Amino acid sequence: MFEDLSPGDPRLVGRYRIVARIGAGGMGQVYLGRSPGGRPVAVKVVRPELAGDPDFRRRFARETAAARRVNGAFTAGVVDADPEGSPPWLATVFVPGMSLGTALSEHGPWPEQPTLVLGAGLAEALEAIHAAGVIHRDLKPSNVLLAVDGPRVIDFGISRAVETNTQHTQLTHVGTVVGTPGFMSPEQLTGRTVGTPSDVFSVGAVLCYVATGTGPFGTGPANALNFRTVYEAPDLSRVPDVLRGIVADCLVQEPERRPGVAALLDRLAEAVGSGRGATGLLTEPEWMPTVVAQEVREQTSAALPATPCRRHRRPFPPHRLRPPFRRRPPQLRPPWRPLRLRRARRRPSRPRRPGRRRLRDRPRPHRWRPPRRFRLPGAAARTRTGTGARARAGPPSTRRGARPSPGIPPRPGRWPPPVVLGGRVGVAHRSSAAGGALAGWKLLGGGDGNPSGSPSSNSSGSPSGRASASAASSAGKKLWEFGTGDLVRSSPTVVDGVVYIGSDCGCLYALDASSGNQKWSYHLGGDVRSSPVVANGVVYIGSDDGTLHAVDAGSGDRAWTYTTGGDVRSTPAVADGLVFVGSDDGNLHAVSAASGTKAWTYDTGAKVGSSPTVANGLVFIGSDCGCLYALDASDGGQEWSFHIGGESAQSSPVVDDGVVFMGADGGNLYAVDASGGDRKWQFRTGGPVATRPLVLDDGVFLSGGDDAVHLLDPGSGKQRWSCSLGAGVASSPAATDDVLFVGADDSHLHALDVRTGDELWSFATGDAVKSSPAVADGVVFVGSDDGKVYAVGT
């Protein structure tokens, strides 16, 4: 009954995890799926050539809405559908058993009594279908499923969606047959009005087939069957006597002379002659022939196919199986015991190509740009002119792309408003957050450089230098470094003059942004690939110990922890009193920011390494199942999903101007409408895209997927420029006014001109830079696989 999934089959359709193939029909492929709660459903996915037809989508939406109103004992109702999906799909109740067509082909015709009982079940099913204003149009043995408690009619009304403005006997459109020869009524074949009598005709044809093994118009090619249906009388010579009269009345040529469904049900009940009624017999174990009933019971009791293993599962490395005491914080080690630095395998450095020389001294043509006005909270409007990176007005926290605060109306057409936290405006990674919380944003602008309190001593690494008085004169030069003792792939966050960053040593560090001195450290218990997020004086970060940690930003004391079922490499997002984070257990978790208690979870069916973004009351998240989801932030209800195909969605979405930008493993960056989930455009790179794009006024900046950084037009997705770095890129970009920063596997932090993509300078670290940089007060902060955090002048 079931087939294994092929590589091209989806692993998730809507909210349903796809388990196996059931079969294929004229409209598309049918799969066995499971709801988030584990309930089995039958999911029908529309064929691509039909999905691309706007007229089909309209009909499909109309007929699906009508079919969802059907609620009968002998129907397999529609439980969910997405006519606007990519592609459209619908899910129905899953009936464990076999189809009537399979039963007849394997075990032959039925005796008269079971046939009459079956007919009563079909008539009662049609009563429920017609009561909802739906006409089946394609009732045939393969659309009748046999269960232990009666038949189930499926696919009612759906064939109407593929029907086009055909004339008379033209029955196909893009390869799809409207109805089945031998079971269609004459009015379907001749183009007359099709109503409920058409389904009565089909019932008569089905009962004849069940009783004799042959349809009333014989066998042969479709055109021969159709001709006999319209112009010849049915052959009922082998139909049992009691049943023959009922079938003959159903197969009358004139629709108005056929019995109604209610009258048909009465005649079948009378023919059965049971005091319990015809449909009452369907509750008995042997309402079908014995051999058929036995096979149906076996199929019903058989276990359904197990859910396929989630893709991209990584085996647990040996160090995760060690006892906790083997993972002590570095500051607890004896001072005479040197730290053992685990280093990733170095790649040989590549010589700089002649055309890639530094362009710091190259004269640039003057480009006039109109003044830009920025409105900041508590300050008057300021005007900035000029093209240089230093020609800016206002405090250092003002950056390109800053937007009005929530108290000031945003510019028309810009969506959503910015996040203001502690008087600073989020600029890079402008995902969005609500209620003054930080959700997928990096705060650019980190205080006055003189945090209160004296920094503690640095026992695991000491700064090699102090921040210079003028960051402008130290562009591309190291201001300080801090050693953590292990890989640093977490991305820094800078708030109020403090740099927060995690390390694979299992620690979260708080460092003084001006000097690099350690203020405090917090031990998490596993590798840290999640990036910290600060909101309302609390740092939120995930860890490979499967836990989301909430830490006091001032002292480093634990506030609370929340345990998931897998590694937490997703960066949290905070909005409206909730913390949202993904986990390798396949769920997006919503946790109370105050107490750490679960508010709700949403099961995507595959690992969630993507970081959530909150905008306009929706949470946007990607999953390795190959979908981008938009969920209601208050209760986790799915608003829409965008199916990417066989690709994983490990990139983190960014929302800007009502568009969601997100990359995928297939090498594409997608632009999706934030309100409905429709694709606007896609841009293809040379490899998997796991980085977060950056959206500024200049366009969409994308790193990763290949060895290049791309600037794309946000409206069309067309490339404006591309700069090859000569090595793989796993770092997301960050930016100041005119400079873009990105790390690469060539062990360098690169600074590029925002307008042209020319390289301005590069800074060499000791190993690959997979951490995403953050910028504040003229300094760019970034981690490296050499186990260090660097502060570099911009």
Side-chain angles (χ1 to χ4, degrees):
M1 182 177 180
F2 302 105
E3 299 177 5
D4 293 337
L5 296 176
S6 66
D9 288 328
R11 266 48 181 182
L12 195 80
V13 175
R15 61 196 295 262
Y16 301 99
R17 191 180 307 167
I18 301 303
V19 176
R21 282 187 171 203
I22 297 178
M27 186 178 299
Q29 185 71 42
V30 185
Y31 300 96
L32 173 66
R34 289 191 181 274
S35 69
R39 181 180 65 167
V41 294
V43 181
K44 175 170 285 190
V45 178
V46 174
R47 298 204 323 264
E49 58 266 31
L50 290 176
D53 183 357
D55 292 336
F56 166 81
R57 283 182 175 268
R58 286 192 293 270
R59 289 190 298 271
F60 184 74
R62 182 176 62 250
E63 296 301 326
T64 301
R68 295 183 75 164
R69 298 195 297 266
V70 177
N71 185 19
F74 301 115
T75 61
V78 176
V79 297
D80 199 358
D82 185 7
E84 302 300 325
S86 180
W89 57 269
L90 63 88
T92 66
V93 173
F94 174 74
V95 180
M98 62 192 307
S99 73
L100 177 61
T102 301
L104 293 171
S105 63
E106 293 182 358
H107 305 291
W110 289 15
E112 184 178 45
Q113 185 71 4
T115 304
L116 290 169
V117 175
L118 171 68
L122 299 181
E124 190 163 315
L126 287 180
E127 274 193 324
I129 294 171
H130 294 168
V134 177
I135 303 171
H136 195 298
R137 299 172 182 268
D138 194 21
L139 186 62
K140 56 186 178 181
S142 60
N143 279 339
V144 178
L145 303 180
L146 302 177
V148 293
D149 57 348
R152 298 291 189 275
V153 176
I154 64 173
D155 283 359
F156 38 83
I158 304 305
S159 63
R160 170 73 173 175
V162 296
E163 189 171 351
T164 59
N165 296 326
T166 56
Q167 296 181 354
H168 301 292
T169 59
Q170 185 182 355
L171 302 177
T172 61
H173 176 59
V174 290
T176 300
V177 177
V178 182
T180 302
F183 300 96
M184 287 187 290
S185 65
E187 55 266 33
Q188 285 181 273
L189 295 169
T190 56
R192 290 179 288 169
T193 302
V194 175
T196 57
S198 178
D199 288 344
V200 173
F201 184 95
S202 299
V203 169
V206 168
L207 294 181
C208 177
Y209 187 86
V210 173
T212 66
T214 306
F217 302 100
T219 60
N223 57 352
L225 290 174
N226 295 336
F227 180 87
R228 296 180 200 137
T229 300
V230 176
Y231 297 106
E232 297 182 3
D235 180 9
L236 305 179
S237 59
R238 294 189 298 147
V239 178
D241 294 339
V242 176
L243 182 62
R244 185 183 305 153
I246 298 174
V247 172
D249 289 345
C250 293
L251 296 177
V252 173
Q253 286 280 337
E254 296 77 12
E256 61 275 5
R257 293 177 52 195
R258 298 171 199 154
V261 176
L264 175 61
L265 182 58
D266 291 341
R267 292 184 61 180
L268 289 167
E270 182 181 356
V272 170
S274 171
R276 298 180 58 188
T279 56
L281 295 176
L282 294 172
T283 61
E284 296 182 356
E286 299 297 333
W287 72 269
M288 298 173 282
T290 304
V291 63
V292 178
Q294 180 179 354
E295 186 168 343
V296 169
R297 284 196 299 269
E298 290 176 356
Q299 292 192 9
T300 302
S301 59
L304 296 178
T307 302
C309 294
R310 292 172 183 160
R311 299 179 296 156
H312 307 292
R313 277 288 193 183
R314 297 172 290 102
F316 287 98
H319 74 269
R320 293 191 198 163
L321 305 179
R322 298 173 182 170
F325 58 81
R326 298 291 299 275
R327 300 289 302 206
R328 295 178 297 177
Q331 63 269 24
L332 300 181
R333 302 177 190 263
W336 60 85
R337 180 181 175 184
L339 292 174
R340 298 183 63 185
L341 180 63
R342 187 179 70 186
R343 303 170 69 93
R345 183 168 61 93
R346 284 193 175 187
R347 297 186 180 183
S349 61
R350 301 183 182 181
R352 187 178 297 275
R353 292 176 291 182
R356 301 270 311 156
R357 60 187 181 87
R358 295 184 181 179
L359 306 174
R360 187 187 310 167
D361 300 325
R362 175 184 293 181
R364 302 183 196 169
H366 175 74
R367 297 181 182 179
W368 180 88
R369 291 188 298 180
R372 278 210 177 101
R373 294 187 179 275
F374 295 88
R375 304 186 69 181
L376 301 177
R382 296 177 172 86
T383 302
R384 176 175 60 83
T385 61
T387 59
R390 308 295 177 260
R392 63 169 68 90
S397 60
T398 303
R399 295 291 185 261
R400 173 186 299 261
R403 300 185 178 181
S405 68
I408 302 175
R411 289 183 294 167
R414 307 296 289 178
W415 183 93
V419 172
V420 179
L421 185 62
R424 291 166 179 81
V425 182
V427 181
H429 305 291
R430 293 186 309 188
S431 301
S432 81
L438 184 65
W441 287 66
K442 301 296 182 186
L443 272 259
L444 305 185
D448 56 6
N450 296 309
S452 59
S454 58
S456 60
S457 62
N458 178 12
S459 60
S460 63
S462 58
S464 64
R466 298 281 179 172
S468 71
S470 174
S473 62
S474 59
K477 296 181 179 173
K478 181 175 68 178
L479 305 181
W480 53 257
E481 68 180 44
F482 176 86
T484 69
D486 214 329
L487 304 177
V488 182
R489 296 188 176 178
S490 172
S491 300
T493 296
V494 187
V495 178
D496 291 334
V498 179
V499 181
Y500 302 91
I501 193 167
S503 167
D504 275 11
C505 68
C507 281
L508 166 66
Y509 292 97
L511 310 175
D512 185 280
S514 61
S515 64
N517 288 332
Q518 177 180 311
K519 300 177 71 66
W520 52 258
S521 66
Y522 171 85
H523 185 61
L524 287 87
D527 292 351
V528 184
R529 302 296 171 86
S530 171
S531 299
V533 168
V534 183
N536 300 321
V538 179
V539 186
Y540 303 94
I541 192 170
S543 169
D544 278 8
D545 62 357
T547 304
L548 172 66
H549 299 260
V551 184
D552 185 274
S555 63
D557 296 331
R558 175 186 299 173
W560 50 258
T561 58
Y562 172 84
T563 303
T564 71
D567 296 352
V568 181
R569 298 195 165 191
S570 167
T571 296
V574 186
D576 294 330
L578 295 177
V579 185
F580 305 91
V581 71
S583 170
D584 278 8
D585 65 1
N587 288 282
L588 174 68
H589 298 262
V591 185
S592 169
S595 61
T597 57
K598 180 176 73 174
W600 53 261
T601 60
Y602 181 86
D603 186 4
T604 70
K607 183 178 73 173
V608 182
S610 172
S611 300
T613 293
V614 187
N616 283 17
L618 296 180
V619 184
F620 300 91
I621 187 71
S623 168
D624 276 13
C625 66
C627 277
L628 166 66
Y629 293 96
L631 310 175
D632 189 298
S634 61
D635 57 12
Q638 180 181 309
E639 296 293 325
W640 54 259
S641 66
F642 175 76
H643 185 60
I644 303 175
E647 308 175 20
S648 297
Q650 296 184 0
S651 170
S652 301
V654 172
V655 183
D656 187 88
D657 278 351
V659 179
V660 187
F661 301 93
M662 192 189 70
D665 271 5
N668 291 304
L669 175 71
Y670 292 90
V672 182
D673 179 66
S675 59
D678 296 326
R679 182 176 63 185
K680 291 182 171 295
W681 52 259
Q682 70 184 62
F683 174 80
R684 182 157 187 83
T685 69
V689 180
T691 58
R692 180 198 296 269
L694 174 65
V695 185
L696 298 178
D697 287 347
D698 297 276
V700 181
F701 295 89
L702 175 65
S703 60
D706 45 27
D707 63 352
V709 180
H710 308 272
L711 174 61
L712 310 177
D713 182 273
S716 63
K718 295 185 180 300
Q719 180 174 282
R720 293 177 177 171
W721 57 252
S722 177
C723 175
S724 175
L725 301 180
V729 180
S731 168
S732 300
T736 60
D737 219 14
D738 288 329
V739 183
L740 187 75
F741 303 96
V742 64
D745 289 352
D746 64 351
S747 305
H748 282 78
L749 172 67
H750 297 268
L752 310 177
D753 186 286
V754 166
R755 298 179 302 277
T756 64
D758 294 335
E759 185 171 7
L760 303 177
W761 52 260
S762 65
F763 171 80
T765 68
D767 212 326
V769 180
K770 299 183 182 294
S771 168
S772 300
V775 190
D777 290 335
V779 180
V780 56
F781 305 90
V782 72
S784 171
D785 278 6
D786 64 0
K788 295 179 181 179
V789 182
Y790 293 91
V792 183
T794 62

